[in-house]
Structure formats: C-alpha cells, structure tokens
Amino acid sequence: MILRTSPFRLGRSFSVLLAVVLALGVAQIAAPPEAHAYSWSRTLQEGSSGSDVRELQIRVAGWAADSPARTRVAVDGVFGPGTKAAVIRFQRAYGLKADGVVGPATHRVLNSLEDSDGSTEHFNFSEFYSKDGSRFSGGKVSSGTVKENVRRLMYKLEAIRKKSGNRAITVNSGFRSIKHNSRVGGASNSQHMYGIAADIVVSGRSVSQVIGYAKTSGLSGIIRYNTFTHVDSRADYSYGSSSFYWNT
C-alpha cells in the first residue's frame, strides 16, 4: 500500500522542521563557548601520584614558601610534604579549608584560574610573545615547549598577583627568539629564550615589594632592575641552571 501525504501536510511538516533546525542553529550560535577545565577525577592528598598530581604541582608552584626561601615545588607527579604545604598556602589564600587535601572545592578554584585556551585567568599567551613577531618560535627549544613553559610560569605569576592584593601585572618581556635576544643585548643563555622568564611590573607596587613576593613563589631566578623585576624558573629545567640566582 502506498501512503500519500497531501501537499498541505507536507508543506506544514517541512515548515515545522525548518523552524526547529533554525532554532537549534540560533541556540548554538548564541551559546557561550564551554570553558576549558582540567578533569580532576579524584581527591588528591599526600601519598597520591600521577599526571593529575603533576598538574596540581604546576598550579600551586607559586605557593612554595611562607617567607623568602630558596625553595620550589617539584613538578614530579608525587604528592609529598612540599606539595602539601604549597596546597595549604593556596587554600588559605583563596579562603578554602586549609587541610592540604585537594577535593571538589579546591578543584573548582584551581579551574577558575584556567582560561579556555589553556592560559590563566589574568594572563594571555600573546603577552609573552617575542617582540620581533616570531611568537614562540626561534628560541632554544621548540615553540610547543616554549608555550608549555610559559603556561607554567603564568601560574607563578598568578600567585604573585594574589599576594600583591590582586594588582595587575605587566609583562615587559616574556619569550625572546634567539635573534630578538641578541638584538636587545640579552645574555647568551638568557632564560627568556626558553620561555621560562619574564620581566614584570606590578601596578602600585615597588620593585622591592615585587621581589618580596617572588621570593616566596618558587622562582629560582630574580634580578632587580630600576623599574622592573626579572623572574625565572631556571632551577626547574635541565637547560636552565641547577642553582638559584637572586641578584636583589
């Protein structure tokens, strides 16, 4: 048996279908992009290990000490006493229960610092691009490595920003290509060429104050200049330096 549909019914059905499709299309266009967030799938605490612990260590690395100390949070995927102490400082700073246990409440705050492109809440990758237009290319490591190194540095700068009373931070110089570093007279093994350094100014804060924040933020390279502060993570990388260098 052949079923026949009247032109009127067919036309009405098509109109309804078209309206639904258009409505869905408009909804998709109007919907805001989904915010990127790390998938914390378990509670982390001292004794835990794995890639999620490593990511946690990257995010709390700027909370390495309570007072000036040449120490840092190892990014090794092992939740030891140093990581726990950094987590407690992070929790205290953000008004969380400061017990060193990383559960849902702490996960939410950690993710609130992460932007949709993998950068952080208050910093964009473009702020760290080499000033010669090469972005993250032309350095002493691959552009992908530079980008990841910059991401890690951003979390330490987020800590400095928090400690300063949420004052804005200007990045005068981030990554430098080899050519740009030579052009500006940078050191032959400048940490800028690896994406692990930044020259910063904190709004409303003196160079001395910024140095004070940096000395508690796991930064192994700190250099005083008249109008800005150089900070870097040279001790965190094999191509950096195994020792701290604070010229303050």
Side-chain angles (χ1 to χ4, degrees), residues 132-228:
D132 61 351
S134 60
R135 296 193 172 212
F136 289 150
S137 299
K140 291 203 169 185
V141 291
S142 71
S143 59
T145 298
V146 169
K147 186 175 183 179
E148 173 60 14
N149 290 348
V150 166
R151 185 181 78 91
R152 288 177 56 170
L153 180 60
M154 284 178 177
Y155 281 103
K156 291 184 179 181
L157 296 182
E158 287 284 357
I160 289 178
R161 193 182 195 280
K162 187 72 172 177
K163 294 169 188 179
S164 72
N166 289 314
R167 296 292 185 127
I169 295 178
T170 300
V171 179
N172 288 344
S173 180
F175 167 70
R176 296 177 192 161
S177 69
I178 295 171
K179 288 183 179 180
H180 181 61
N181 185 69
S182 177
R183 188 176 298 126
V184 299
S188 60
N189 194 41
S190 170
Q191 307 304 293
H192 288 279
M193 294 186 289
Y194 302 97
I196 64 176
D199 297 339
I200 63 172
V201 174
V202 180
S203 176
R205 296 291 183 257
S206 68
V207 169
S208 293
Q209 288 174 307
V210 175
I211 287 172
Y213 307 139
K215 285 182 174 181
T216 67
S217 301
L219 289 153
S220 41
I222 306 174
I223 303 174
R224 175 191 290 272
Y225 289 89
N226 289 336
T227 58
F228 66 89

Side-chain angles (χ1 to χ4, degrees), residues 72 191 220 233-245:
R72 61 191 181 86
Q191 307 304 293
S220 41
S233 299
R234 64 185 65 202
D236 290 0
Y237 302 90
S238 60
Y239 37 73
S241 170
S242 59
S243 60
F244 279 62
Y245 179 73

